[in-house]
Amino acid sequence: MAIIITDECINCGACEPECPNNAIYDAGAAWRFSDGTDLKGIIDFGDGNTLNAEEAQAALSDDIYYIVPDKCTECVGFHDEPQCAAVCPVDCCVDDEDVRETEEELHAKKDWLHANG
């Protein structure tokens, strides 16, 4: 699964620098697959979809910090627990019930993001 930031977020920004995948962005900020990863150029998702890793993607929230689920590995391969949740002063970084991934899938995502696979 991925982590989400709930609407209880106070926009303190404590979580953003803790993410090893650069999956956390400020409200309204565009994001890129290439931010904080080894992904460059055209990436192939294996399902017929491709995307330029350096191309800006629309913000997922205009009101609070947000986490890009396709970049979130719950810190697997980096830390013992999600660092965003560990530092959040209001406990609003929680499991995303809609995005479920096994530890093996999270390791594979980490390897894909950081060219270790």
Side-chain angles (χ1 to χ4, degrees), residues 10-92:
I10 58 172
N11 288 315
C12 71
C15 57
E16 187 178 20
E18 300 302 319
C19 182
N21 301 311
N22 204 149
I24 302 174
Y25 293 84
D26 196 354
W31 65 275
R32 292 169 180 75
F33 274 101
S34 61
D35 293 341
T37 72
D38 292 332
L39 298 175
K40 305 291 179 228
I42 302 300
I43 51 177
D44 186 343
F45 293 95
D47 60 2
N49 290 316
T50 60
L51 185 73
N52 183 334
E54 287 98 2
E55 185 176 310
Q57 305 297 312
L60 301 182
S61 173
D62 290 326
D63 302 316
I64 57 173
Y65 277 80
Y66 65 89
I67 299 174
V68 176
D70 287 335
K71 293 179 70 176
C72 178
T73 62
E74 296 180 41
C75 295
V76 165
F78 295 102
H79 304 285
D80 292 334
E81 65 181 342
Q83 295 301 286
C84 57
V87 301
C88 181
V90 293
D91 297 325
C92 68

Side-chain angles (χ1 to χ4, degrees), residues 84-102:
C84 57
V87 301
C88 181
V90 293
D91 297 325
C92 68
C93 296
V94 299
D95 293 341
D96 184 344
E97 303 269 333
D98 295 328
V99 180
R100 296 288 183 199
E101 295 167 296
T102 65

